Amino acid sequence: MTETSAAASPLPGLRADARRNRDRIVETARDLFTERGPGVPMAAIARRAGIGTATLYRRFPTKESLLAAAYAEQFAECVAVVDDALADPDPWRGFRTMIGEICALQLADHGFSAAFLAGAGTEEPGRHRERAVRGFGELVARAQAAGRLRADFVPADLALAVAATAGLAALFPDDAAEASRRMTAFLIAGFAAGHGGPPLPPTPLTMRDLFDASRRAR
């Protein structure tokens, strides 16, 4: 269900050489975002791509627009994961599957979670992000209404799973996939209603807090 990435899609109105230049910028940016996170300076991206900073800004006026292009495919895939989970008639099964697939997506490209939180303006991946956030909120509400997801779980708690996955990828790169699956199983067990554990401490975060913190980090 993954859509074609922005880097690979033909762009109406661009000559072939302009498309090649744009593709090179997007590929370079994606590499640097993965290596150094979304805080990498635009000037560093321009240098590695072999272009001037002014040229980069003509193509991508903001960091958000470049993040959007670099991770267009991943944004679309994230939405597809949430849509598939919402389509499952069993909301708890859909929730469990979505958590596992989102963690796997983060593991495959740890730069994507930072890009997701950083936002993407009003471009298509930005709309994907908002759709994914709304869909996840709906999935949480359904699973809680079914009595399967603990009532004190909030959508921002997804950041805990994503952050933990990022930590595993950084500390244990050779074993991260297996370790992530085990960690995710532990998390899902803790998310389940009626597991017998104590109430969760109140969360200090909302999804908006996470987005704002990522923007400040850039």
Side-chain angles (χ1 to χ4, degrees):
M1 296 182 64
T2 302
E3 297 178 7
T4 305
S5 69
S9 299
L11 295 170
L14 284 184
R15 302 188 312 272
D17 59 338
R19 283 199 299 271
R20 285 193 296 270
N21 289 339
R22 184 185 185 280
D23 291 348
R24 185 173 72 254
I25 293 169
V26 169
E27 290 166 6
T28 300
R30 187 163 50 240
D31 289 345
L32 279 171
F33 290 146
T34 298
E35 292 171 18
R36 298 166 55 181
V40 62
M42 293 285 271
I45 296 169
R47 281 195 300 272
R48 185 177 288 192
I51 61 172
T53 304
T55 300
L56 176 59
Y57 276 107
R58 278 198 299 273
R59 292 275 184 253
F60 300 99
T62 65
K63 175 73 70 65
E64 285 82 2
S65 64
L66 186 51
L67 281 163
Y71 288 104
E73 184 173 344
Q74 288 88 339
F75 274 100
E77 185 174 351
C78 183
V79 168
V81 166
V82 176
D83 284 348
D84 286 348
L86 285 169
D88 193 319
D90 181 337
W92 176 237
R93 183 174 59 200
F95 176 88
R96 297 195 321 264
T97 301
M98 194 224 68
I99 293 291
E101 292 191 9
I102 290 295
C103 287
L105 183 61
Q106 152 70 11
L107 201 64
D109 189 339
H110 60 268
F112 172 62
S113 62
F116 185 90
L117 292 175
T122 59
E123 297 187 24
E124 187 64 23
R127 291 191 287 273
H128 285 331
R129 188 195 75 170
E130 297 307 319
R131 181 176 163 192
V133 169
R134 287 195 304 271
F136 181 58
E138 181 180 347
L139 186 63
V140 167
R142 288 184 189 179
Q144 287 173 332
R148 302 301 305 278
L149 176 63
R150 57 188 301 156
D152 51 2
F153 181 93
V154 297
D157 288 330
L158 178 61
L160 302 178
V162 170
T165 300
L168 289 173
L171 291 172
F172 310 109
D174 294 335
D175 301 304
E178 293 80 3
S180 177
R181 283 193 290 270
R182 183 173 175 85
M183 179 209 66
T184 302
F186 276 126
L187 288 173
I188 290 172
F191 294 156
H195 66 92
L200 292 174
T203 178
L205 299 175
T206 66
M207 291 300 286
R208 177 53 55 193
D209 291 330
L210 298 176
F211 298 151
D212 290 346
S214 181
R215 280 193 290 270
R216 288 195 298 271
R218 297 203 312 280

